[in-house]
Every structure is written in structure tokens, then in C-alpha cells.
Amino acid sequence: MPVLLLVSGVIHAQDTTSADGLFAAAREAAYEQKNNTNAIRLAKKALAIAPAYTDVVVFTGRVYAWSKNYDSSLHYMQQAIAADHNNEDAYIAYSDLEMWNAHNEKALAVTEEGLSYVPASRELLIRKVKILAAMRRYLEAYTAVSALADGGGGNAEVRAMMVMLRDQSCRNKVSIKLDGMWFDTSRTAFSIANDDDARFAPQRFASVELVTATRIGPWVVRANVANRFKKPGLQYEMDLYPKLSKTFYMYLNAGYGDHLEVFPRWRAGTSLFANLPHAYEAEAGVRYLYYTNDIFFYTGYVGKYISKFLVGARTYLAPSGNKFSNTTGATIRYYFGGADDFVNLVVMKGLPIDDRRINVDLFNAGTSRFAELSAKCSIKKVNIISLNLSWLQNKLPYNRQVEQYQVGIGYTKRFL
């Protein structure tokens, strides 16, 4: 034991008399002890021994920034860059400093200067995307993050940013979707030939929507038309996705239908979305439908990007007397290209209550099963083709069971 203590003391003495040893001690003081004052003292002692030690110069500037001494921080950042224009970490630290101070124009200039010397820097490219998004220059941000993903930087963080910027980057977008639905009642003990069972006749659904960019976020106007139960119906909707901050944005919806059996007379909804650290995303919201009575339900979602995958879980809770009926589901999505190139699988125990293709007033969510496989593919990033197949099983009163099969196709034109 005395020998070990002696060796430790010798090493400790060496560590506090060399630039490397002092740098290690300064990092320990900053990261483990959370003592910025001591970290700066030790870093300056290291620089007294090795003034050209740029890693220590950058570190000192960072610690000054953490201590909110921005003038001193700026001095050290500029010193590091002047000493070595290829120092990637110096540009990263400098741009972070300007971003923390909300100097977005200066932060962008720093990242672009850094990229002119270190063009392959993934970290500088990510910061450039974030700065452009903060400046609401969404198209440039989306172009930059797409290039980053195409260049092999498509990890979870990049994927999450690309999806977040997808709709905000387009000036306008027009979509048309067509769906056909058929029913299998072979497991029931009744015929569908009479008028009471017109609900099980084949159905058709179509929608046309326009998305346009506004200063506060994307604005959506949508018209849905359907032929259900041998009756036509039309529904008008408006959505708005206001961006609240770099972390939060909202979803607001309002709609009106002209035929109760085809669409709810009124629908409305709101959600708060969060783009969280470590490539997580989350949503909490409420929806309202009115057929012949009010229907409220609440929804929650959490998802995570993992490499080229997005995995998530969603729940719908609908008050029913003194309890809640519960729909739960899981999704897994694989991205094989950009934000509009993926294959998606959803499975649910219960009804997807927010699905416009389903008249939820007619079915029992608690005894339903749902699965959907869908895919999107972009062509030159402005033409998007979508396909989807779904299956829905409902258990109705008197031991009756019906299964719904759906096939859909869609086309979207994006105007960048």
C-alpha cells in the first residue's frame, strides 16, 4: 500500500507540472467536479508552459462560455482559429458560443468559414442546419441536412432533423389520395342484402389537400369526399402547425362534415409536439368529434430514431362513463432514402380513432384490431408516390364480426 501511494504521488506531481497533466486536471475540474474557476486556473497554467497548445486554448474558451464570461471566451476562440485554421473543434466551439448568444448570423458565418477549411466536418454541417432552421431559412436547412444524410451522415439525429424540416422547407405542396374499402362478413350469421346492412357495402374515400408555408408554420386546407353506406359525404378541414421554439410545435385542426353517417358533423383537435434530445420525439393532444353526441379522446405518442428506423408507441384514451376505453398501438418505420422515402408498419389493439377513413361512431373500439402497411417514395424530391394496405377487424353486437380491407394510393407534388 505505501508503494502504491508513493507511485500515485509521483504521478500526481508529474501531472501538475506538465501541460498535458494540467490539461487533464483542468478537464477533471470542469467535467467531474463542476468547478469552472479551478478549471480555468489549471488551463492557464498549462498555457503558460505551452502557449500554442490549441486544444487547451479551445477548452479555456469553452469553460469561459459555460461561466457566461463571453468576452473572454470569444478571445480564446479567435486565438485558436488564428493559430490553426483547420482546427475543427475551434470552429465548433466558436459557433456554439454565438448560437448561445442568439447571434445566428455570426454563428452561420463561423460555421461556413470552418466548412471552407474542413468541408467534411459533420459536426459543423449539423450546426449549420440548426442555425438555418433557427433563422427560419427552412429550405436551405432541408437541403443541407439532406446532403448530410446522402453523404453518409444519416444517423438518428440527422434523420430526426430531416423529418422535422420536411414540411417547413416547401413553399407549397398539393396532394391527392384515393382509397377503396371492402368488407368480409362471411363470419357473420346475417346477410348484407337488406338496407340495415348498407354499412358493409364497398366504400370509396378521396382527399385533396394544399399545404402552404406561413411565417408561423405550415397551413393545410383539405377536402375529403367519401361514399359510405351507399351515401355520399363531404368534409372540409384546416390544419395549422405553428412552430413555438426549436423544441416545440403545435397541431391545430378544425373540420366540418355535411353528412353524419359519412363524416362527423364537427371535428377539432390540438397537440403539442416536442423534438427531444437523443433523437426522441413526443406528442400529447386531445381530439373532438361530434356525430349525434360529443366524443372526446386523448392521445399520446413517443418515438425514437435509431439509425434508419423510427420506432414509436401511441395510445388513445376515450372517456366512457367512469372509465376510459383504450387503444394502443406500435409503429416501426424504415427510411431507405430521404424524409419521404420509407416503409411503415402500424399495428393497433383498438381503432385508429383519428383516421378519417373510418366512421368511429359505428364501431366498438375496444374489440377492434387494426394493421396497416404503407410506403412512400420520392422522385427528385418533389414528386412523392404513396401506397397503403390496411386491415380492420370489428366485433359487432349479437356475435357478429366484420373485417374491412383497404387499398390506397396517393400522389404529392412539392414546390420548393
Side-chain angles (χ1 to χ4, degrees):
M1 181 65 73
V3 173
L4 290 176
L5 289 173
L6 178 61
V7 171
S8 176
V10 171
I11 294 174
H12 182 70
Q14 291 173 341
D15 284 344
T16 55
T17 56
S18 69
D20 285 337
L22 286 163
F23 187 25
R27 291 199 304 270
E28 181 180 352
Y31 299 134
E32 297 182 21
Q33 300 171 9
K34 309 299 181 184
N35 188 334
N36 291 340
T37 301
N38 193 36
I40 291 171
R41 182 184 65 82
L42 291 166
K44 285 185 173 180
K45 288 183 69 175
L47 289 175
I49 298 171
Y53 200 156
T54 54
D55 287 348
V56 182
V57 176
V58 173
F59 170 80
T60 307
R62 282 192 180 277
V63 179
Y64 268 122
W66 299 337
S67 303
K68 299 185 178 180
N69 189 334
Y70 298 120
D71 290 340
S72 295
S73 177
L74 181 61
H75 167 76
Y76 281 94
M77 302 301 185
Q78 292 174 338
Q79 179 183 331
I81 290 172
D84 181 6
H85 285 294
N86 293 312
N87 191 319
E88 177 188 14
D89 194 41
Y91 287 108
I92 291 170
Y94 192 0
S95 64
D96 285 346
L97 173 66
E98 299 295 355
M99 287 173 64
W100 293 337
N101 285 280
H103 300 157
N104 290 327
E105 291 284 356
K106 180 62 177 177
L108 181 61
V110 170
T111 58
E112 289 182 335
E113 180 185 346
L115 287 167
S116 69
Y117 289 102
V118 196
S121 171
R122 176 181 169 279
E123 291 300 322
L124 283 173
L125 281 167
I126 288 176
R127 279 160 175 79
K128 180 178 178 179
V129 171
K130 291 180 177 179
I131 295 165
L132 288 168
M135 298 170 70
R136 298 182 183 272
R137 292 164 60 174
Y138 297 121
L139 178 55
E140 295 172 74
Y142 183 72
T143 302
V145 77
S146 297
L148 183 59
D150 293 342
N155 68 355
E157 183 184 12
V158 170
R159 185 71 57 189
M161 287 193 297
M162 184 163 50
V163 172
M164 179 187 68
L165 291 166
R166 174 185 54 199
D167 292 330
Q168 291 161 329
S169 66
C170 66
R171 294 187 179 93
N172 293 288
K173 181 170 68 173
V174 178
S175 300
I176 182 169
K177 298 177 183 177
L178 303 172
D179 293 90
M181 284 150 277
W182 298 266
F183 296 89
D184 179 6
T185 59
S186 60
R187 299 186 186 184
T188 67
F190 65 98
S191 168
I192 65 169
N194 58 68
D195 290 341
D196 290 340
D197 296 319
R199 76 176 75 174
F200 303 120
Q203 300 181 6
R204 294 181 296 278
F205 177 91
S207 70
V208 178
E209 72 174 33
L210 169 66
V211 181
T212 187
T214 71
R215 182 170 179 79
I216 61 174
W219 180 277
V220 184
V221 179
R222 183 185 307 108
N224 304 315
V225 61
N227 190 305
R228 291 177 175 146
F229 327 122
K230 300 181 180 179
K231 298 175 182 177
L234 184 61
Q235 182 184 58
Y236 304 97
E237 289 187 272
M238 291 187 296
D239 300 339
L240 180 63
Y241 294 85
K243 188 174 178 63
L244 306 180
S245 69
K246 65 180 182 180
T247 300
F248 296 103
Y249 69 97
M250 291 190 69
Y251 160 74
L252 302 169
N253 166 265
Y256 168 80
D258 68 351
H259 200 302
L260 280 175
E261 290 189 62
V262 182
F263 292 109
R265 177 71 71 196
W266 301 102
R267 68 174 292 134
T270 184
S271 283
L272 179 66
F273 291 88
N275 298 300
L276 301 172
H278 307 296
Y280 279 95
E281 61 182 21
E283 175 198 356
V286 60
R287 305 288 187 268
Y288 167 75
L289 303 175
Y290 178 80
Y291 290 92
T292 55
N293 61 299
D294 297 321
I295 301 175
F296 286 93
F297 55 95
Y298 307 93
T299 185
Y301 162 82
V302 62
K304 179 174 174 59
Y305 292 88
I306 304 171
S307 184
K308 295 184 177 182
F309 290 88
L310 169 63
V311 294
R314 177 176 293 279
T315 185
Y316 294 102
L317 298 172
S320 178
N322 295 324
K323 60 181 182 178
F324 284 88
S325 63
N326 187 15
T327 291
T328 56
T331 181
I332 182 167
R333 178 177 296 181
Y334 172 74
Y335 288 93
F336 56 85
D340 289 305
D341 299 284
F342 60 80
V343 178
N344 193 69
L345 175 65
V346 177
V347 292
M348 281 190 169
K349 180 181 179 182
L351 285 173
I353 303 176
D354 213 15
D355 194 323
R356 291 156 180 81
R357 298 168 300 179
I358 299 171
N359 189 320
V360 300
D361 196 41
L362 298 176
F363 298 121
N364 183 353
T367 59
S368 300
R369 303 290 184 273
F370 176 82
E372 180 173 57
L373 179 65
S374 60
K376 279 189 176 183
C377 179
S378 64
I379 302 170
K380 296 183 179 180
K381 296 185 179 179
V382 295
N383 301 288
I384 303 162
I385 305 297
S386 61
L387 297 169
N388 60 286
L389 305 169
S390 72
W391 166 82
L392 173 64
Q393 181 190 76
N394 281 283
K395 291 185 179 179
L396 303 177
Y398 308 110
N399 249 355
R400 300 185 301 176
Q401 181 172 295
V402 63
E403 296 183 353
Q404 172 185 303
Y405 300 92
Q406 174 270 337
V407 178
I409 186 171
Y411 170 74
T412 298
K413 175 68 175 180
R414 301 176 82 240
F415 300 92
L416 300 177

